[in-house]
Amino acid sequence: MNRTVLLVLLLAAPALADESRFALKDGEGKQLVEGNCVMCHSLDYIPMNSVFLDRKGWEASVSKMVKVMGAPIGEQDAAAIVDYLATNYGK
Amino acid sequence: MSIDRRTFLFTGAAGLAAAAVRPLQGLAGDPVLGPADLPGGALESSSLEALSGKVPLIKKTWRPPNFETPVSYFDQAFTPNDAFFVRYHVADIPEILPQDWRLRIGGEGLDKPFELTLAQLRSEFEAVEVNALCQCSGNRRGLSRPHVPGVQWGYGAMGNARWKGVRLKDVLARGGIRKEAMEIVCDGADAGVLAKTPDFVKSIPVWKAMEDHVLLAYEMNGEALPHWNGYPVRLVVAGWTATYWIKHVTAIDAVTQPFKGFWMAPAYRIPKGKFPVVDRFLTQETDTSTPITEMVVNSLITNLHQGQRFAANQTVEVRGVAWDGGFGIATVEVTQDGGRSWRLAHLGPDLGRFSWRQWRYLMPAARPGAYAVMAKAINRIGASQTFELNFNPAGYHNNVMQRIDIQVG
């Protein structure tokens, strides 16, 4: 898994340079979000979907990423990610 | 751009003071990036950025790349390839060399599976052309109230092009399609980063695949497809929303059972009976939902922006485009008083029933004041745009009449 992710990140290097110009709000759990979500998508997906989701809405989004999209994120980390999103990008 | 924005802010403020019909919405919006009706975070996180081979477009997300065409590009019959919107669901998007590309055609609903090179596809089947609008199912999702999650598109997840390619039915005929074939499944070269991520694969009913205007297209507006729009070959399902227009096509399968995949269900579904659509994808229907099919009737004003200011005692030309799922546009009406009275717009040349139709209206604007300009398209089967949003949880089929408030005098 890690090797695949690394390979894709290397291939996508120019796009990553562009997308890394964007930074999430500082807050508890930010590093978890950065460490996990960028495996599959740029972080601008998060502010784009703000501010209109409540905690339940962000829970549903994170759950979809894990259960449908196959993100390898454990329950504890997923809960911390939801906390960060609901606190910083939730209504 | 910066001049536009300053002008806009200035006139927006002036317009607000004079607004007679209702408060202007444009103050926090942007004439290029999108209207204030978009979620605040969507507007703030968007910017004009250029992908390789593209002019600067409205960047919604970098990866997977989702880039929207600014409305000003729609003020012409065909959308330039380098300004055509970009939409992907998964982030691993290989660049394909023409000599390496192979199309595999098979499935249990076909007698003889076979493969084609790009040279074979181009030389061994009759070439045909169709003018067709390619519009994302979720175009205008960002204007949904309440807001719903997803790419927060404004007005520009669409483009009109002249597509050239070969008929899908001709390609299928070479393999001998069986009478028990139910759906045609189409896959492209793009894939998820993780093996577990559902690959973006879509099916269409066999009856749809047999229509003359469903193509495997290798040209767009007289040139090879841009990489970001599906090079070397994409499916064109004229009339239907762009979710079925698979890019970088690599595999086509005729199947005898309903195709199951995340992108068919639960994704890209509309509540059954909610929209006045004609085409039904019966083998995929459930009791409550059905796959999105043809585009609903819609229009867009392409030459005005919210809060724009004009001198009095002149006419203001209002221009735009109107489209539907292939029945054809019958009339476009324009109002300058927020919908109290309507006048017929002049329709431009008919470029085919799957193309959008340009229109224009010379609006008398002698009296100084606020004008609430709206357009309404009606198609040849009598379907019209809506005043109120036909809300659905995925934000599809938004054909609410757009409203632009301008200031005269």
Side-chain angles (χ1 to χ4, degrees):
Chain A
M1 189 82 74
N2 281 339
R3 208 172 47 187
T4 314
V5 170
L6 182 66
L7 182 67
V8 169
L9 291 182
L10 287 173
L11 289 172
L16 280 181
D18 287 326
E19 73 178 64
S20 66
R21 284 190 274 141
F22 169 77
L24 288 175
K25 290 181 195 169
D26 285 328
E28 199 176 332
K30 178 184 169 183
Q31 281 177 328
L32 263 183
V33 173
E34 288 176 340
N36 284 287
C37 306
V38 295
M39 270 188 280
C40 297
H41 63 83
S42 50
L43 295 172
D44 46 11
Y45 270 85
I46 294 167
M48 178 176 70
N49 282 288
S50 75
V51 175
F52 56 89
L53 294 174
D54 57 11
R55 174 170 288 271
K56 259 178 91 176
W58 280 118
E59 266 170 9
S61 286
V62 172
S63 169
K64 177 182 171 188
M65 293 304 148
V66 175
K67 291 185 181 144
V68 178
M69 298 299 165
I73 304 174
E75 266 180 47
Q76 228 177 342
D77 283 355
I81 287 170
V82 169
D83 278 342
Y84 171 85
L85 296 171
T87 305
N88 295 285
Y89 293 94
K91 72 168 184 188
Chain B
M1 241 251 338
S2 59
I3 291 170
D4 274 0
R5 203 167 301 177
R6 266 202 309 276
T7 312
F8 170 71
L9 287 172
F10 170 72
T11 55
L16 187 63
V21 188
R22 76 167 187 201
L24 292 182
Q25 299 184 330
L27 285 178
D30 183 288
V32 177
L33 296 178
D37 310 84
L38 291 170
L43 264 176
E44 284 162 26
S45 63
S46 67
S47 51
L48 285 176
E49 308 281 356
L51 288 167
S52 56
K54 292 279 184 181
V55 299
L57 301 175
I58 303 164
K59 189 277 305 172
K60 310 299 281 193
T61 65
W62 281 111
R63 182 175 53 95
N66 287 295
F67 286 67
E68 177 174 336
T69 302
V71 166
S72 56
Y73 285 102
F74 301 139
D75 200 30
Q76 55 194 311
F78 293 103
T79 314
N81 289 5
D82 61 6
F84 214 89
F85 81 107
V86 175
R87 201 275 182 264
Y88 282 89
H89 301 77
V90 286
D92 185 359
I93 306 161
E95 294 211 22
I96 300 171
L97 297 172
Q99 65 271 25
D100 293 345
W101 182 80
R102 292 291 181 280
L103 177 61
R104 186 189 59 71
I105 301 105
E108 74 274 14
L110 207 71
D111 283 329
K112 306 178 296 285
F114 63 107
E115 278 196 356
L116 291 172
T117 64
L118 187 56
Q120 286 177 302
L121 183 84
R122 294 181 68 121
S123 65
E124 295 178 9
F125 301 89
E126 185 189 352
V128 290
E129 288 190 330
V130 62
N131 297 331
L133 177 71
C134 175
Q135 181 185 225
C136 175
S137 313
N139 195 21
R140 307 186 181 187
R141 174 185 292 119
L143 311 180
S144 183
R145 290 297 162 96
H147 288 304
V148 294
V151 177
Q152 300 298 312
W153 298 113
Y155 292 109
M158 63 173 185
N160 196 45
R162 172 182 294 265
W163 308 93
K164 182 179 180 183
V166 303
R167 294 182 199 94
L168 177 59
K169 71 173 185 183
D170 292 349
V171 172
L172 289 168
R174 177 173 293 189
I177 192 148
R178 295 185 178 163
K179 65 176 188 308
E180 57 270 33
M182 179 183 280
E183 297 178 5
I184 304 300
V185 182
C186 196
D187 188 12
D190 52 346
V193 175
L194 306 171
K196 282 185 180 169
T197 302
D199 194 10
F200 191 72
V201 183
K202 298 288 294 188
S203 67
I204 57 175
V206 162
W207 64 262
K208 186 69 188 171
M210 291 300 124
E211 289 185 350
D212 281 342
H213 47 265
V214 174
L215 309 185
L216 287 160
Y218 47 77
E219 270 184 28
M220 174 178 169
N221 295 324
E223 295 169 357
L225 302 176
H227 166 65
W228 300 111
N229 298 106
Y231 183 85
V233 174
R234 86 175 300 171
L235 197 62
V236 166
V237 187
W240 283 26
T241 64
T243 182
Y244 299 102
W245 298 40
I246 293 287
K247 299 184 286 297
H248 321 285
V249 178
T250 53
I252 293 170
D253 284 295
V255 297
T256 56
Q257 296 292 320
F259 171 70
K260 290 186 181 1
F262 170 76
W263 302 105
M264 292 304 299
Y268 287 103
R269 294 255 154 184
I270 53 174
K272 209 160 138 182
K274 180 99 178 170
F275 293 95
V277 288
V278 174
D279 287 351
R280 287 175 69 180
F281 194 163
L282 291 170
T283 52
Q284 291 279 344
E285 268 188 13
T286 68
D287 289 344
T288 54
S289 78
T290 190
I292 194 166
T293 52
E294 85 266 23
M295 293 178 277
V296 294
V297 64
N298 214 338
S299 71
L300 181 73
I301 297 167
T302 54
N303 72 321
L304 302 179
H305 60 74
Q306 184 72 6
Q308 200 170 345
R309 186 157 205 146
F310 294 88
N313 296 313
Q314 59 168 355
T315 52
V316 172
E317 185 179 18
V318 184
R319 293 192 301 271
V321 288
W323 64 92
D324 74 342
F327 300 100
I329 293 301
T331 56
V332 174
E333 299 173 10
V334 177
T335 177
Q336 60 195 73
D337 53 18
R340 280 195 282 272
S341 60
W342 296 87
R343 297 280 181 276
L344 279 179
H346 173 76
L347 295 182
D350 185 349
L351 299 171
R353 64 194 181 102
F354 299 109
S355 166
W356 65 28
R357 186 115 185 225
Q358 291 183 288
W359 54 265
R360 67 190 185 102
Y361 173 68
L362 292 174
M363 185 176 90
R367 172 186 60 80
Y371 287 67
V373 184
M374 300 167 75
K376 173 174 65 180
I378 300 163
N379 71 4
R380 288 179 184 147
I381 58 167
S384 171
Q385 290 181 248
T386 60
F387 271 106
E388 300 290 334
L389 178 71
N390 207 352
F391 180 84
N392 62 108
Y396 298 142
H397 280 333
N398 183 331
N399 67 341
V400 176
M401 288 169 226
Q402 177 199 18
R403 169 180 166 141
I404 297 182
D405 296 279
I406 63 167
Q407 185 67 26
V408 172

